[in-house]
């Protein structure tokens, strides 16, 4: 079963997306901000994909992506970032760091599921 780390400070949004992804057969682990997500990864937890919001307290999605890029995590693990305040500058920054996909909220759930399947498939050896 493929494992996804879902990083979002909005519990209801996280829970809704978790249910959708679990219905697709994925195992989901949750983190309420980038710092918690980073800690899970640094503890050696294995994920096939990371999905993160950008606007979060403690550590934003951009800061989370920057830290993962410094550790070369993004070069071997796909990451999808979504944001309700997506700017061209933010998209260019995270794409330059190696993010697999960037979505504007609200995103189309079917589009997200297609991207999730592609990201996991592309990262399989």
């Amino acid at each position: 079963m493929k494992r996804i780390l879902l990083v979002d400070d909005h519990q209801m949004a996280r829970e809704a997306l978790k249910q959708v992804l679990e219905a697709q057969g994925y195992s989901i682990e949750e983190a309420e901000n980038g710092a918690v997500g980073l800690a899970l990864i640094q503890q050696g937890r294995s994920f096939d994909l990371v999905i993160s919001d950008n606007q979060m307290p403690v550590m934003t999605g951009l800061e989370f992506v920057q830290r993962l890029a410094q550790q070369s995590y993004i070069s071997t693990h796909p990451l999808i970032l979504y944001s309700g305040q997506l700017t061209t500058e933010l998209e260019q920054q995270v794409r330059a760091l190696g993010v697999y996909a960037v979505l504007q909220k609200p995103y189309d759930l079917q589009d997200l599921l297609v991207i999730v399947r592609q990201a996991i498939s592309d990262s399989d050896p």
Side-chain angles (χ1 to χ4, degrees), residues 24-94:
Q24 299 293 312
Y26 300 110
S27 172
I28 307 301
E29 189 148 351
E30 300 175 65
E32 61 269 18
N33 60 58
V36 174
L38 187 62
L40 291 172
I41 290 168
Q42 289 175 335
Q43 290 169 10
R45 296 258 179 64
S46 174
F47 300 104
D48 298 288
L49 173 66
V50 177
I51 301 174
S52 180
D53 187 17
N54 183 50
Q55 299 296 119
M56 297 181 289
V58 184
M59 182 184 286
T60 67
L62 174 58
E63 293 166 332
F64 178 52
V65 168
Q66 289 170 330
R67 295 287 297 274
L68 292 177
Q70 288 170 353
Q71 299 172 12
S72 300
Y73 186 86
I74 292 179
S75 63
T76 57
H77 298 82
L79 188 143
I80 298 169
L81 182 79
Y82 54 80
S83 178
Q85 299 177 358
L86 185 62
T87 63
T88 303
E89 181 183 350
L90 173 63
E91 184 170 0
Q92 289 174 345
Q93 280 182 289
V94 296

Side-chain angles (χ1 to χ4, degrees), residues 99-110:
V99 167
Y100 186 86
V102 183
L103 299 173
Q104 170 72 45
K105 286 195 310 190
Y107 51 80
D108 181 276
L109 198 50
Q110 292 306 313

